[in-house]
Amino acid sequence: MRSVRAPALLATLAALLAGPALAADYASILTPAKPGWPLANPIATSEIAPPPFALPSERGVNPAYVPGLPGLPQGRAVSDDFGRKPLKYDAVFIRQSRVENGEVVIPPGGLAYLEDTWGGEVALRGEQVPVLGRTPTYIDYDMSIAVKENVTIPAGGAVVVGGQVYHYYATVGHEKMFNHSLHVRTIAGTDWEWAFGAPELSATETGWWGNRFAQLYNQGQAREVSPKQLTFDWLSGVRMDRLLYAEDKVFAGLAGAGAEWTVGARTVRVAGIDAAKGTVTLELLQNGAVTGSKTLGPVQGDRLIEDTAARKALVFEDGDMVAFLSPWPNAFEGDTANLKVYGRAFSLAYGADYARDPRFAVYPVGCPTGHNFGFMLVNKAEIRLKPGTAYDGPEGYFKVVVDALEGGAVTAWHVEDGQGNRSINLGGPQVANVDLVLGQGRVAGQAILKDVGRALLTRSYDTAARLETAALPAGQKAAAATPAAPAVIAPPPAAAPAHPVEASLSPALMVAVGILAVGAGAVGFELGRRRKA
């Protein structure tokens, strides 16, 4: 009897821990991509906590800004199998740090690395993605739609649903006419306004969203819309649950029945092709015995890559081996199939430990279109740094160094890349933390700068100017610098030297001007984009 009841009891406990069941069938309530289609992703059956500091109110406090370092490159052009060359950016954030008892304290989740991309990463296209200096191939993903019921967002407040953050941004009113702006971002800060605009809810105006909005699978149904708060019957948001990468490309091209490839200790073999049905069967063998098989296809081109069922029908995944029937440019040619086979496959799962450095947890960043927008690695445990000590980021890819404290001020600190290149001194007598924004990508160089760019750049310039003044002869002042006009995005500044700054060459002021140019350009780009919209 015990052996029969134990599994049922465990299942019941798991269901209770997963949270209360949803009251309605959201597979039929949510709006699909096209009428009559099923939802592209399954409804999440459990809630997974988002990373700390995902809300706008929890961002860094007066953070320092560093546009990049040679070992944290910005604007790297990678490639996919079809000639697309999206740009990739390394980003580092420190949020809500403080000075306590002669130490700098970074709370759990306060230090984050972001693989930041200027364009969505698309599955099944052979796109290379930087992962802390390596460039594995992005293969596939798992995405779900999270739903929260009875959600109230007070004016100025925010809530996380799945991997999306809803922020009741503002109410714009004229006499009795009101519309209420709902700002939508990812847990990493990717701002969807550039892609979808901000949902404008209104109980009084026609031609607006009214009480319901749908931006692909970021959707909501409001029952109260007022300047005080927005109350939703339900809100949905996509969550990127898992990313699948592979280190080794074993084969890519047309292959006929009987073709086989070695992947580690196993063999992948084409068991048969039925071009008329649009299918190919692959077998996995070890020591001459078939240990697994899957029939791939047919291709449902109108639903790729967003539709989970259509995409998974093309992918054969087994441990560290993954193969798929490539739909582009054609899945079949005569009696051959267009196949891609990879080895040393690995996953990054939402909320799981980062296997190469378990001090950090992983959070993939998803777009409601089904594209990926990078991944975050955040520290799981509190970090404490005394003067003269450093903390290594994931796999030692960068480090945060506290050089000196005086009372409650961090008078000297810097960030270094894995090659030893270092920023200027980011501290000072008025600096009370080591909060940081580093990078020029979609989040660090656009979304964050759009909101707090002026404060970031003012602090960076003041810090560099103070260093410059301190290096000059007594009584002499540094010349004032004029920021560049916000017209075009300037190129990144020259690499900072790997040794401490030499005052006689005035590098601090030159770095400050570079920072101002990059930041002003990014803000100018965003302002220009809004004028055109």
Side-chain angles (χ1 to χ4, degrees):
M1 292 296 290
R2 289 181 181 178
S3 61
V4 173
R5 291 179 178 176
L9 179 59
L10 289 174
T12 301
L13 289 174
L16 290 173
L17 291 173
L22 296 171
D25 176 16
Y26 288 96
S28 61
I29 293 174
L30 293 171
T31 304
K34 288 186 179 181
W37 280 18
L39 299 183
N41 309 298
I43 303 296
T45 57
S46 62
E47 186 172 348
I48 305 175
F53 309 117
L55 301 181
S57 60
E58 298 170 333
R59 60 162 58 104
V61 178
N62 191 27
Y65 179 60
V66 176
L69 290 168
L72 295 167
Q74 310 297 312
R76 285 178 290 185
V78 300
S79 61
D80 67 12
D81 292 340
F82 303 95
R84 181 173 174 263
K85 295 185 180 297
L87 299 179
K88 308 294 180 181
Y89 301 78
D90 282 329
V92 179
F93 307 107
I94 303 177
R95 294 82 59 92
Q96 302 293 317
S97 63
R98 65 188 188 275
V99 176
E100 180 181 280
N101 298 326
E103 296 178 307
V104 168
V105 180
I106 302 174
L111 174 63
Y113 166 81
L114 171 66
E115 185 268 303
D116 201 358
T117 178
W118 201 261
E121 296 166 352
V122 185
L124 306 184
R125 292 185 59 88
E127 181 172 339
Q128 293 181 311
V129 173
V131 178
L132 301 180
R134 300 177 298 277
T135 51
T137 301
Y138 173 44
I139 307 293
D140 193 17
Y141 67 94
D142 297 333
M143 177 177 278
S144 59
I145 304 170
V147 181
K148 279 190 176 182
E149 298 177 324
N150 298 313
V151 179
T152 295
I153 309 177
V159 65
V160 179
V161 181
Q164 313 299 308
V165 179
Y166 290 99
H167 179 202
Y168 185 4
Y169 191 67
T171 291
V172 179
H174 177 69
E175 295 181 351
K176 296 183 179 180
M177 300 172 62
F178 291 96
N179 59 279
H180 311 275
S181 297
L182 192 63
H183 212 176
V184 190
R185 296 182 175 179
T186 68
I187 51 170
T190 319
D191 190 343
W192 293 139
E193 188 176 7
W194 62 270
F196 307 107
E200 300 288 348
L201 306 180
S202 178
T204 59
E205 297 178 52
T206 59
W208 296 82
W209 281 105
N211 289 343
R212 181 163 180 172
F213 73 92
Q215 295 185 330
L216 296 176
Y217 294 109
N218 290 347
Q219 301 183 23
Q221 172 68 56
R223 68 172 178 265
E224 178 185 342
V225 177
S226 73
K228 178 183 177 182
Q229 64 188 34
L230 301 177
T231 299
F232 291 88
D233 291 327
W234 54 267
L235 271 174
S236 71
V238 298
R239 184 180 69 207
M240 186 64 82
D241 291 318
R242 186 180 71 117
L243 302 174
L244 177 63
Y245 299 95
E247 298 277 4
D248 296 336
K249 179 185 283 188
V250 177
F251 176 79
L254 296 170
E260 58 182 41
W261 307 273
T262 299
V263 181
R266 296 166 296 176
T267 298
V268 179
R269 181 171 66 192
V270 181
I273 295 174
D274 190 333
K277 291 184 178 179
T279 62
V280 54
T281 299
L282 301 183
E283 292 179 335
L284 195 62
L285 299 90
Q286 191 162 5
N287 298 324
V290 175
T291 59
S293 68
K294 183 174 181 178
T295 297
L296 308 180
V299 173
Q300 302 176 63
D302 56 345
R303 297 191 183 184
L304 292 175
I305 53 106
E306 294 83 358
D307 186 90
T308 295
R311 194 179 62 258
K312 295 298 183 183
L314 306 182
V315 180
F316 182 19
E317 181 184 353
D318 186 276
D320 63 353
M321 184 286 302
V322 61
F324 64 89
L325 175 63
S326 178
W328 303 296
N330 297 296
F332 296 91
E333 187 173 309
D335 293 328
T336 60
N338 187 6
L339 296 171
K340 295 181 180 179
V341 182
Y342 295 85
R344 295 173 62 200
F346 67 96
S347 298
L348 299 179
Y350 193 97
D353 286 356
Y354 177 56
R356 290 178 179 263
D357 192 338
R359 298 176 301 155
F360 293 84
V362 180
Y363 293 90
V365 182
C367 173
T369 62
H371 295 174
N372 186 55
F373 267 76
F375 63 88
M376 299 175 69
L377 300 175
V378 304
N379 63 304
K380 293 161 50 182
E382 181 181 80
I383 300 167
R384 285 185 170 266
L385 293 170
K386 294 181 181 295
T389 62
Y391 182 82
D392 286 342
E395 297 189 65
Y397 193 58
F398 62 89
K399 66 175 58 178
V400 179
V401 185
V402 174
D403 299 300
L405 299 177
E406 290 185 13
V410 189
T411 54
W413 75 279
H414 67 275
V415 60
E416 294 183 13
D417 63 28
Q419 303 168 7
N421 302 291
R422 56 183 290 176
S423 70
I424 63 171
N425 175 18
L426 304 172
Q430 304 301 318
V431 176
N433 59 38
V434 294
D435 285 6
L436 173 70
V437 173
L438 183 152
Q440 301 172 34
R442 179 70 76 184
V443 176
Q446 180 185 10
I448 291 178
L449 284 187
K450 181 179 68 176
D451 288 346
V452 296
R454 179 165 183 163
L456 281 174
L457 299 174
T458 297
R459 172 182 162 167
S460 297
Y461 175 72
D462 288 347
T463 299
R466 184 174 62 252
L467 293 173
E468 181 70 14
T469 300
L472 293 173
Q476 186 175 344
K477 294 183 179 180
T482 302
V488 297
I489 296 179
H499 52 77
V501 170
E502 295 293 339
S504 61
L505 297 178
S506 303
L509 200 54
M510 289 188 290
V511 171
V513 173
I515 291 171
L516 286 165
V518 171
V523 174
F525 169 83
E526 177 63 20
L527 292 173
R529 182 192 64 77
R530 289 187 172 196
R531 292 192 188 101
K532 293 178 182 178

